[in-house]
Amino acid sequence: MLIRRLKGNSIELTDIEPIEAELLRKVPSVCDTGGDSRAEARLFSNPADSSEHQFLSDWDEFVRPELRHLFVSARKTVEEDLGKLSDRPGRPGRLVVPCAHSDAWLNTLNQARLILATKFDFTDEELSMHEPPQSFSRRDLVLLQINFYAAIQERIIDAVNGEEQE
Amino acid sequence: MAETVVEPKVEVALGTPWNVVVHNDPVNLMSYVTMVFQKVFGYSKQKAQQHMLEVHYKGRSIVWTGARERAEFYLQQLHGYLLLATLEKAE
């Protein structure tokens, strides 16, 4: 898959292989915590220590719903963009995303990576590992999925900061 | 005898500075954290990278210090980008 900035403030993802398209389409559903308390705790981390009772209470009441709305809205944007992914059997796909959606993409990919990392209890060391996995257990494949989403984030940041191309 | 009026002691909190602290997280990418610092605080790429590296190598970085209300605003922004950020009273 190639990711580049196009003229007219958009980002183009080309040569999307079927397995890559499948992983991309999974992003919005991966972002559903399914009520997993640890994943929820990571998405909505505490903004202060327990001595700040009133602040924490206000945060839960007023800020947390806004954050949830922001995350859900970002997911919807990505889901709608993914609906335009063109891929015909046997042929690589293509997707054009407006630059204005880049924050939603980065946010949603981050949600997906944080939730997967929390649910599968990856350690700091494992997340920093760049060697190929020793086996292909479900856990190893999820780590590859996290790294795939990380690579897309990196390319989107590069594309947003980079020069427009024809 | 004249009544003595004792005025309640009012703590003036206006001048108390607050730190916005960002903590290390193995999931958030270095380039992403740098970009967020640039967007939220308007920092130059160099300054944003310095804070990102401090987070990465020291585990935390005080990314902003100032009035409480503003600190809370920045905190909300950082949480919106899914960074681990907290509010602390400046020493």
Side-chain angles (χ1 to χ4, degrees):
Chain A
M1 176 166 52
L2 297 170
I3 299 177
R4 63 178 187 154
R5 169 96 172 259
L6 291 181
K7 276 189 176 171
N9 274 328
S10 56
I11 299 167
E12 181 190 42
L13 291 76
T14 52
D15 296 338
I16 304 172
E17 294 296 332
I19 179 71
E20 293 171 326
E22 198 180 326
L23 286 172
L24 281 174
R25 288 197 174 103
K26 278 183 188 292
V27 172
S29 61
V30 167
C31 291
D32 180 3
T33 62
D36 184 300
S37 58
R38 289 176 315 144
E40 284 278 317
R42 178 55 193 89
L43 287 190
F44 304 99
S45 62
N46 279 337
D49 67 30
S50 54
S51 65
E52 290 282 331
H53 309 292
Q54 190 56 51
F55 175 58
L56 290 173
S57 168
D58 289 347
W59 183 277
D60 280 349
E61 188 176 352
F62 302 109
V63 180
R64 189 182 278 222
E66 279 186 34
L67 291 172
R68 191 177 293 280
H69 175 75
L70 174 75
F71 300 156
V72 170
S73 167
R75 265 180 252 164
K76 279 185 183 163
T77 300
V78 169
E79 202 163 11
E80 281 170 18
D81 284 343
L82 283 169
K84 296 168 194 154
L85 198 161
S86 67
D87 61 335
R88 282 174 285 177
R91 298 185 68 176
R94 178 175 181 267
L95 176 63
V96 177
V97 176
C99 283
H101 292 186
S102 61
D103 264 1
W105 272 80
L106 293 172
N107 191 304
T108 305
L109 289 165
N110 234 27
Q111 290 180 52
R113 293 175 58 241
L114 286 166
I115 290 168
L116 288 172
T118 307
K119 279 186 176 173
F120 284 82
D121 267 330
F122 284 110
T123 63
D124 293 12
E125 271 186 1
E126 286 173 308
L127 289 166
S128 312
M129 217 164 52
H130 295 293
E131 289 86 32
Q134 298 295 312
S135 65
F136 288 97
S137 65
R138 178 151 187 238
R139 202 161 180 280
D140 288 326
L141 293 174
V142 170
L143 187 56
L144 290 174
Q145 188 179 3
I146 290 173
N147 290 334
F148 173 66
Y149 293 156
I152 296 173
Q153 279 188 300
E154 292 274 18
R155 296 290 82 78
I156 289 176
I157 292 170
D158 288 347
V160 170
N161 293 332
E163 289 179 7
E164 292 178 347
Q165 296 174 35
E166 292 292 341
Chain B
M1 201 169 101
E3 199 177 327
T4 306
V5 178
V6 180
E7 293 202 354
K9 187 179 173 186
V10 178
E11 279 189 37
V12 180
L14 290 174
T16 308
W18 291 80
N19 293 332
V20 175
V21 184
V22 172
H23 303 264
N24 191 33
D25 176 340
V27 175
N28 282 316
L29 300 171
M30 294 164 98
S31 56
Y32 178 75
V33 174
T34 302
M35 182 204 77
V36 171
F37 290 164
Q38 286 181 275
K39 282 194 174 190
V40 172
F41 301 105
Y43 290 163
S44 65
K45 189 164 190 178
Q46 190 186 6
K47 186 171 181 181
Q49 279 176 331
Q50 281 171 356
H51 282 292
M52 176 276 292
L53 289 171
E54 196 177 4
V55 172
H56 185 69
Y57 288 111
K58 296 185 178 174
R60 52 179 267 149
S61 176
I62 296 170
V63 291
W64 190 84
T65 301
R68 169 91 184 209
E69 197 176 339
R70 194 80 184 152
E72 288 182 14
F73 169 77
Y74 284 140
L75 201 60
Q76 187 172 342
Q77 300 279 301
L78 294 170
H79 278 246
Y81 284 102
L82 293 152
L83 298 198
L84 286 176
T86 55
L87 187 69
E88 290 179 4
K89 200 177 274 187
E91 305 238 330

